[in-house]
Every structure is written in C-alpha cells, then in structure tokens.
Amino acid sequence: MSLKFDLKNIISHFDIEGELLFATPFGDGHINDTFLVEIKDKKNEVTKYTLQRINTYVFKEPDKVMENILAITSHIKDKLSEDDFFTTYTVMKSKSGTPYYIDENNNFWRMQTFIDHVIVYDHSQDEKVVYNAAKGFGKFAYYLSDFDLANLHDTIPNFHNFKVKYQDLVNAFEQDSKCRAKEVKEQFSFYRSFETEFGILEQCHLPKRVTHNDTKLNNILLDEKTNLPVAVIDLDTVMPGLIATDFGDSIRSISGKEGCKSLSQIQFSPTSFEHYAKGYLEQTREILTKEEVDVLPLGVKLISLSLGMRFLTDYLNGDVYFKTDYPQHNLDRALSQIKLAQEFDKNQSTMSKIVHQYI
Ligand code: GN1
Ligand code: MG
C-alpha cells in the first residue's frame, strides 16, 4: 500500500525536523492505513512516529476526530502523576499548524509519537495480559470520567446504536445488491431473533460517559517486560457512549479470534472473564453506578451481536466498509461473532455473578 503514496513528501508537510529513514505499513486495522516512520535528527537521534491516512468514508469529519483526540490526550496528560506508568501519545502539527495534513488528492493524514518498548496482543487469555489490559482500559475510563461530554464530537453517529445496526442489516438483506442474501438466511434469522433486545440499554438509565468504543485487546499497549498497561491507542472513536459496550468489546476480543474458522475454538472462558472484570472494576468501581455494573454482561452480548451484524451487513453490501483479505472474509467474521454471541447469551448469569464479586 505504501507504493500508492509519496510518503516522503507527505511527511515533509509535518513540523518535524530531520531525515526520513524509513516508512513502512504497520498494524492490521480494518479502517485506516497506518505506517511506522523513523526520522533521524541533527544529533543523529532517531524518533519513531505513526503516520496514518484516515478513512474518510468511515470518518466523514476527520478534523472533528482530531479535535476530540487533542482534547482527550491533553486531559489525560493533565492527570498523569510523575511516576505514572500510564501515558498517551502526542499529535504532531503540520507546518501550517493544523493537527493533520490534507494532500492534493484530498487524503487526510496525521502523525503522532510512537510509544515504544511495548507489546500488543490481538487475542490472549493469559491472566497477566488480560488483567493488565483491563487495568489500562479501566484507567482510561477513570481519567476521562470528569471530562465534559459537551466538548466531544459524535464522529460516527449511532456507532453503537444496536437498533440502527439491526436496521442497517435488514436494509442490506432486503436490497441484496450483491445477490448474497440467499447465502446468509440462517445468520439473518439469528439476528432477527434478538430484535427485541437491541433497545434494552436505552431503558436502563445509564449515564453517558467518554468511551473509547473500540476497546479490543490490540488497542492497549502493554510494557514489553512487565506487561503493565502503558497506553490506550486508536482514539478515533472516542465519543460519548456507554461503559457496558467498552467493557463488552474487550471481552469479545479476548474470547475469540475474529474470523476464526474453527468455531469450536471460540468459547466463553469464565476465568479470563474474571481476570478482566477484576482489573477493570478495580480501576472504575469508584465511578460506576449500580445500573452500569448490572448491565456489563449485557454489554458483552450486545456488542458482539452488533459487530457481527456490521460484518454481515458489509458482506451483503459488497465489502465497502471493512478491509477484507478474501471474498468471504466479512462472512467468516460474522460467523465467529455469532458463535461468540451464543456463548455470551448462555453465560449471562455466570458473568453477572463474577462482576458482582468485584464491586
Ligand atoms: C474496526 O480499524 P479497527 O480495526 O481499529 C472498527 C471497530 C471494530 C473492529 C473489529 C471505526 O476497528 O468498530 O470493532 O474493526 N472501527 C470502525 O476488529 O468501524
Ligand atoms: Mg479502531
């Protein structure tokens, strides 16, 4: 993908002194294009940065995404004590002073400092990894709990509105623009059977908070030696939202590899769930209301139902939203989410018992 862009020229528009050593594709995000960049300054010191091209099909107002990121990273920095292990990144300015650069083809680029000596996991049920990831996401929620929501843009409206995601699926199924509906009748019926549950959280008197909205395991950086949580990354979807979906999205991601074809490997693990619940609630129990704690298991189930519906909708629409590696990729992703949702549905009361042990 790097061949498509003149990265040297793009980087030269940012207010960073030095010689570009290299820029290479990095990570496996489904939405943006990400590059790792190394720059050597006059003193021969090498600094790493992340360069990203924002997907403007998904993020229609990327300048607002950047306003959100600047506001929340600055809020977190103000909270950090000197010996805090936790940190956040710094957004680099362009030479004209904006926190982004728009190239001649209207591509929207941003650069930020790269946090090094860390490890990320796509999927893990290791106790230390899960517990520390939970502590990190919990700390993120805790530090942002006094951030004024009025200062945050809703950058993807209805991102975790399950009724809307269900309606999107119904529309895609009925329109059937790629003639794929006949292949997914069973999966469509599966989601239809949950129709009455998609509005449940709206009736639970839950406070809106600053939420991350994409709390999968590989969005937390853990120290490469100690595994302690260092930073939460991928702040594009930070918006007003519900704690239950942030908690749920992490459980979803530790519980099964996305798109995994051997569905028997996708199973709810009460042990991993407990490690995550313990770490998360240790950091957040002071701020959470009783209602928020009560719906954490529901959040786990609903977010995996929602993500599966989004994958299936994209499959029906011809794979226009998520990047795919092969034609059935979104379908395989949806199938793995269905298996996860079934597991989470079966284990609601187990989750509830565990959660209430830690408050
Ligand atoms: C997308 O791009 P990435 O991988 O950070 C998606 C999330 C999904 C996730 C599933 C803006 O995130 O909602 O949970 O894929 N982000 C957006 O892996 O749609
Ligand atoms: Mg993301």
Side-chain angles (χ1 to χ4, degrees):
M1 80 181 138
S2 53
L3 296 176
K4 275 199 323 207
F5 307 109
D6 182 355
L7 296 180
K8 192 169 179 196
N9 176 37
I10 289 151
I11 293 164
S12 76
H13 289 274
F14 284 88
D15 195 12
I16 301 171
E17 292 290 312
E19 177 201 342
L20 173 66
L21 296 182
F22 76 84
T24 185
F26 189 73
D28 66 349
H30 298 353
I31 307 289
N32 297 326
D33 294 332
T34 306
F35 304 88
L36 171 64
V37 171
E38 280 195 8
I39 292 184
K40 186 167 80 178
D41 67 14
K42 281 187 202 131
K43 292 182 200 148
N44 275 344
E45 272 174 33
V46 177
T47 309
K48 291 183 184 172
Y49 298 90
T50 306
L51 169 71
Q52 280 184 309
R53 186 174 76 112
I54 305 294
N55 179 331
T56 48
Y57 174 80
V58 172
F59 296 102
K60 308 276 186 224
E61 298 181 293
D63 51 329
K64 294 204 171 137
V65 170
M66 295 315 292
E67 274 181 35
N68 280 358
I69 293 179
L70 286 174
I72 58 157
T73 50
S74 141
H75 189 89
I76 291 174
K77 281 178 187 165
D78 288 346
K79 296 268 158 155
L80 300 177
S81 57
E82 264 182 27
D83 58 348
D84 211 317
F85 207 73
F86 201 69
T87 186
T88 189
Y89 58 73
T90 300
V91 173
M92 306 310 293
K93 292 257 163 72
S94 73
K95 286 188 173 147
S96 59
T98 50
Y100 51 82
Y101 163 68
I102 299 175
D103 71 18
E104 60 281 7
N105 298 317
N106 244 355
N107 290 306
F108 190 103
W109 296 91
R110 59 136 180 254
M111 272 183 94
Q112 62 213 29
T113 51
F114 182 86
I115 300 170
D116 216 346
H117 308 296
V118 292
I119 181 156
V120 284
Y121 297 86
D122 288 332
H123 170 71
S124 172
Q125 299 216 328
D126 177 85
E127 173 173 359
K128 209 168 158 195
V129 170
V130 170
Y131 173 75
N132 282 313
K135 280 209 110 123
F137 281 124
K139 209 164 189 182
F140 182 84
Y142 181 77
Y143 281 159
L144 290 165
S145 60
D146 60 349
F147 184 95
D148 186 357
L149 284 182
N151 295 333
L152 217 49
H153 305 288
D154 210 5
T155 49
I156 307 184
N158 295 314
F159 191 50
H160 288 328
N161 182 329
F162 307 131
K163 277 162 102 175
V164 169
K165 296 301 144 185
Y166 175 67
Q167 197 50 51
D168 289 348
L169 174 62
V170 172
N171 294 346
F173 189 81
E174 282 171 1
Q175 280 162 12
D176 195 18
S177 61
K178 299 287 164 193
C179 302
R180 288 173 164 181
K182 57 184 178 307
E183 293 169 49
V184 300
K185 277 189 187 150
E186 199 186 314
Q187 291 73 22
F188 180 67
S189 303
F190 171 78
Y191 287 117
R192 198 169 43 199
S193 71
F194 287 93
E195 187 179 354
T196 54
E197 295 191 38
F198 293 133
I200 282 186
L201 293 180
E202 285 148 35
Q203 295 156 21
C204 293
H205 309 289
L206 303 168
K208 278 271 166 91
R209 294 185 182 277
V210 180
T211 46
H212 181 278
N213 298 305
D214 190 10
T215 45
K216 51 186 179 178
L217 194 57
N218 61 15
N219 277 336
I220 180 109
L221 309 180
L222 302 179
D223 181 87
E224 65 186 2
K225 291 204 185 98
T226 62
N227 268 199
L228 286 172
V230 175
V232 172
I233 55 165
D234 189 7
L235 306 179
D236 295 334
T237 49
V238 174
M239 284 182 273
L242 300 179
I243 281 287
T245 48
D246 266 8
F247 178 85
D249 204 31
S250 296
I251 300 299
R252 170 196 77 70
S253 89
I254 62 173
S255 305
K257 203 163 160 273
E258 245 172 55
C260 171
K261 289 192 193 187
S262 30
L263 297 180
S264 59
Q265 281 176 19
I266 300 178
Q267 275 168 4
F268 173 71
S269 155
T271 319
S272 297
F273 179 82
E274 180 158 358
H275 299 320
Y276 194 90
K278 180 171 186 282
Y280 196 77
L281 290 167
E282 276 173 9
Q283 294 294 319
T284 55
R285 72 181 141 221
E286 230 178 83
I287 57 164
L288 299 188
T289 65
K290 179 184 177 307
E291 289 78 14
E292 281 179 297
V293 174
D294 289 346
V295 299
L296 292 176
L298 254 182
V300 178
K301 177 168 94 172
L302 288 169
I303 197 75
S304 74
L305 285 168
S306 174
L307 184 59
M309 290 195 290
R310 292 168 60 204
F311 286 142
L312 197 60
T313 301
D314 201 31
Y315 182 66
L316 287 163
N317 287 341
D319 311 308
V320 289
Y321 185 98
F322 295 104
K323 290 182 190 171
T324 49
D325 296 335
Y326 57 95
Q328 309 285 311
H329 202 168
N330 272 321
L331 180 57
D332 286 340
R333 287 166 171 160
L335 294 177
S336 65
Q337 292 307 310
I338 288 176
K339 178 69 196 299
L340 270 180
Q342 287 166 331
E343 289 283 301
F344 296 149
D345 193 34
K346 269 197 315 220
N347 285 283
Q348 286 289 293
S349 64
T350 309
M351 285 190 222
S352 187
K353 273 190 213 124
I354 294 173
V355 158
H356 286 93
Q357 277 168 28
Y358 291 98
I359 50 164

